[in-house]
Amino acid sequence: MEENSDGILEGVFAVEKPAFVSSADVLQKLQSTFATSKIFAPLSNSQRKRPSKGDDQVFKMGHGGTLDPLAAGILIVGVGRATKHLQSYLACSKTYETVVLFGASTDSYDCTGAIGQRGPYKHVTKELVEERLAQFHGTIMQVPPVYSALKINGIKACEYAREGKALPRELESREMTVDECTLLEWFGGGQHSFNVLGDEELVQAPAARIRLKVCSGFYVRSFAHDLGIACGTRSHMAALLRTRQANFSIGRLTESRDLVTALTYADLDAGEDVWGPKLRPQLEAWVVANPKSTGHINGRDGDAKRRFMEEKELRPKQRFRGEWVADTKKERIKQQGGKYKGKWGRKTANASTTAVDTSADVHAQNVSKAASLPAEV
């Protein structure tokens, strides 16, 4: 591994977000935690102060795919130059564990919304749910929930819903891929505490914990809503945990040795002596794999500039009035007779002539008026 000569560490890592904490709050906690750390001191000293950001925005930082406040689990974070690489994590596959509570649906498809419709649930059994889950495996069509960030006419769908306005048009179904849809645990009525809504009728409703391996853009809330309909009732998502995204996973997941364990809030609260040894190897590996570009010339690094010049030599040249077209813009304008300069020159000349003619006419009128006045006695 090459040595990082300037000591600046930046890169991509993951944090295990707690439930009912927003993704923005996680970034804020990381900003305050890293601001006084030794690991990020070289990065802090090397970067310029961004006038548009507050004092609490010490580092350039972002996340690779937001998590709803209700959800917990993997949140990928990029710091420094790595923020430009976060886009690649939006399209990767993800693994979730969700709890579906049967008996009632909500307007948001999860336990944060208001109850919309109710349905019978005594006929819903473990065997029935396992049978219906087969419908959601493979390539399926899914309609996103109304409470989503998808835009209609430039406005998020959730904003229409919060203001009580009807959508200008219905959200279209989208093709999704589900690689795994497995029932992990079954809860009979009264055997769980997932009745977050506090509804008395849902105390005896069954619930199911399900693992999903899905593509990017998949809405687990829509899955929870659709599963209830497939089982002849209504349902909503009571809990959600993202256990894996790309090569990052939560600590208890042991699917592969290639997975990198995410930092927890407990690690961050324990201090740099705890989270530092876990994070430093990840950042060092990222810096080596993504070296800084050197020798920038007109926005291109040295290698790109050389490739551009080589390709330019291979291009077929064009002729202008029997001569080869000049390479630079200045030479081409000169070669073509400076037509733009001549154009503006003609305009200037015409304007000067008009100004002279106008002043002469005014002088003649003044002389005529003076001659017509009676002489004073």
Side-chain angles (χ1 to χ4, degrees), residues 298-343:
N298 294 333
R300 301 185 181 93
D301 58 30
D303 293 337
K305 181 67 174 179
R306 282 190 292 272
R307 289 195 301 270
F308 175 78
M309 296 303 295
E310 292 173 358
E311 293 173 358
K312 185 177 180 180
E313 291 296 329
L314 298 176
R315 294 175 191 166
K317 292 187 177 181
Q318 298 178 346
R319 287 182 176 273
F320 176 76
R321 295 179 181 175
E323 299 179 359
W324 295 113
V325 174
D327 292 332
T328 65
K329 182 177 180 181
K330 182 177 180 180
E331 292 174 348
R332 287 194 296 271
I333 293 176
K334 184 177 180 181
Q335 186 183 44
Q336 297 172 16
K339 61 179 181 179
Y340 294 108
K341 183 177 180 181
K343 176 181 178 181

Side-chain angles (χ1 to χ4, degrees), residues 265-297:
Y265 260 43
D267 295 334
L268 298 175
D269 293 336
E272 188 173 359
D273 293 338
V274 175
W275 61 260
K278 297 180 180 180
L279 184 57
R280 179 181 286 274
Q282 301 180 42
L283 301 179
E284 291 176 344
W286 190 93
V287 170
V288 172
N290 300 272
K292 292 182 179 179
S293 299
T294 56
H296 276 267
I297 304 174

Side-chain angles (χ1 to χ4, degrees), residues 10-309:
E10 46 197 348
V12 178
F13 58 96
V15 177
E16 187 173 341
K17 185 184 86 68
F20 301 103
V21 174
S22 69
S23 300
D25 291 338
V26 175
L27 296 185
Q28 188 61 46
K29 182 177 181 62
L30 293 175
Q31 289 276 6
S32 60
T33 302
F34 294 163
T36 57
S37 67
K38 296 179 181 179
I39 289 180
F40 289 99
L43 177 61
S44 177
N45 296 332
S46 65
Q47 62 186 11
R48 294 178 297 177
K49 171 66 178 177
R50 293 179 289 170
S52 60
K53 303 296 181 181
D55 295 335
D56 55 347
Q57 301 293 317
V58 181
F59 305 101
K60 186 177 181 182
M61 188 179 294
H63 52 70
T66 185
L67 265 177
D68 291 341
L70 168 65
I74 295 297
L75 181 70
I76 293 181
V77 178
V79 61
R81 292 185 296 116
T83 54
K84 297 182 179 180
H85 296 250
L86 291 175
Q87 189 70 23
S88 60
Y89 291 93
L90 299 179
C92 64
S93 62
K94 305 173 181 68
T95 302
Y96 294 95
E97 289 183 9
T98 183
V99 174
V100 179
L101 180 61
F102 298 93
S105 63
T106 66
D107 54 359
S108 62
Y109 293 2
D110 60 24
C111 61
T112 63
I115 293 179
Q117 293 180 308
R118 298 181 183 273
Y121 53 78
K122 291 185 178 181
H123 69 284
V124 180
T125 62
K126 177 181 178 181
E127 292 73 22
L128 176 63
V129 172
E130 287 180 326
E131 179 184 345
R132 296 295 186 266
L133 285 179
Q135 302 177 9
F136 297 91
H137 191 273
T139 301
I140 65 172
M141 299 301 294
Q142 184 187 70
V143 179
V146 176
Y147 282 85
S148 64
L150 298 178
K151 292 186 177 181
I152 303 177
N153 298 340
I155 301 176
K156 294 180 180 179
C158 59
E159 295 182 8
Y160 287 105
R162 292 192 182 104
E163 296 176 3
K165 298 180 180 178
L167 297 180
R169 64 176 183 274
E170 295 295 327
L171 292 171
E172 299 179 357
S173 61
R174 306 185 300 174
E175 185 177 284
M176 294 290 149
T177 302
V178 181
D179 295 324
E180 181 183 353
C181 187
T182 306
L183 178 63
L184 298 179
E185 193 173 1
W186 176 257
F187 304 93
Q191 299 177 359
H192 60 80
S193 58
F194 299 119
N195 184 18
V196 181
L197 295 172
D199 188 86
E200 295 182 359
E201 296 185 21
L202 296 179
V203 174
Q204 298 300 321
R209 187 187 303 277
I210 301 168
R211 180 168 62 216
L212 298 164
K213 288 185 179 180
V214 297
C215 65
S216 176
F218 185 90
Y219 280 92
V220 182
R221 286 180 290 144
S222 289
F223 162 79
H225 179 82
D226 296 340
L227 179 60
I229 296 176
C231 293
T233 182
R234 294 292 184 266
S235 60
H236 63 273
M237 187 184 76
L240 180 63
L241 173 66
R242 183 191 284 172
T243 59
R244 183 192 63 83
Q245 182 177 357
N247 62 324
F248 296 99
S249 70
I250 60 176
R252 65 177 176 81
L253 201 63
T254 57
E255 292 181 354
S256 172
R257 295 181 180 179
D258 297 331
L259 296 178
V260 180
T261 303
L263 296 177
T264 64
Y265 260 43
D267 295 334
L268 298 175
D269 293 336
E272 188 173 359
D273 293 338
V274 175
W275 61 260
K278 297 180 180 180
L279 184 57
R280 179 181 286 274
Q282 301 180 42
L283 301 179
E284 291 176 344
W286 190 93
V287 170
V288 172
N290 300 272
K292 292 182 179 179
S293 299
T294 56
H296 276 267
I297 304 174
N298 294 333
R300 301 185 181 93
D301 58 30
D303 293 337
K305 181 67 174 179
R306 282 190 292 272
R307 289 195 301 270
F308 175 78
M309 296 303 295

Side-chain angles (χ1 to χ4, degrees), residues 323-368:
E323 299 179 359
W324 295 113
V325 174
D327 292 332
T328 65
K329 182 177 180 181
K330 182 177 180 180
E331 292 174 348
R332 287 194 296 271
I333 293 176
K334 184 177 180 181
Q335 186 183 44
Q336 297 172 16
K339 61 179 181 179
Y340 294 108
K341 183 177 180 181
K343 176 181 178 181
W344 291 111
R346 287 194 299 274
K347 279 191 174 183
T348 305
N350 293 337
S352 301
T353 305
T354 303
V356 172
D357 294 343
T358 303
S359 60
D361 293 341
V362 172
H363 178 70
Q365 292 175 4
N366 292 337
V367 172
S368 177

